[in-house]
Amino acid sequence: MLSGHLQGRFLAMISRLMRPGYVLEIGSFTGYSGLCLAEGLLPESGQLHAIELRPAEAITTRQNFNKSPQAHQLFVHEGDAMSI
């Protein structure tokens, strides 16, 4: 469930190479992998949307996303991914 440092750096590298406009993460846990993926987002228009089923983890993800300089590009959706 939790991405480690090596996996996080790999995700950040792939994201920086691809320069995505949008990223969808299903299952965020603490938000670490989402923050790593956000490193490569297009600076002005890129968005990362994380869907988290469990309320406690959604709160943790929001708190961690809000500490990021890219907080305005990061969105947490709480609930079942199939419904969202």
Side-chain angles (χ1 to χ4, degrees):
M1 283 183 6
L2 180 64
S3 296
H5 177 73
L6 183 61
Q7 183 179 8
R9 294 298 83 215
F10 180 75
L11 291 172
M13 179 187 72
I14 296 296
S15 182
R16 286 180 174 170
L17 289 170
M18 296 187 68
R19 303 296 292 165
Y22 295 96
V23 174
L24 174 63
E25 179 179 47
I26 300 176
S28 61
F29 193 48
T30 63
Y32 175 69
S33 59
L35 290 169
C36 293
L37 287 166
E39 290 181 28
L41 284 175
L42 294 174
E44 300 301 319
S45 60
Q47 294 182 356
L48 181 136
H49 292 267
I51 301 173
E52 178 53 58
L53 177 64
R54 295 175 302 271
E57 279 79 8
I59 290 168
T60 301
T61 298
R62 271 191 201 94
Q63 289 171 341
N64 289 328
F65 280 7
N66 287 336
K67 295 175 187 175
S68 168
Q70 296 168 295
H72 65 284
Q73 295 177 277
L74 309 175
F75 304 92
V76 179
H77 306 275
E78 188 177 330
D80 180 55
M82 294 293 285
S83 301
I84 294 175

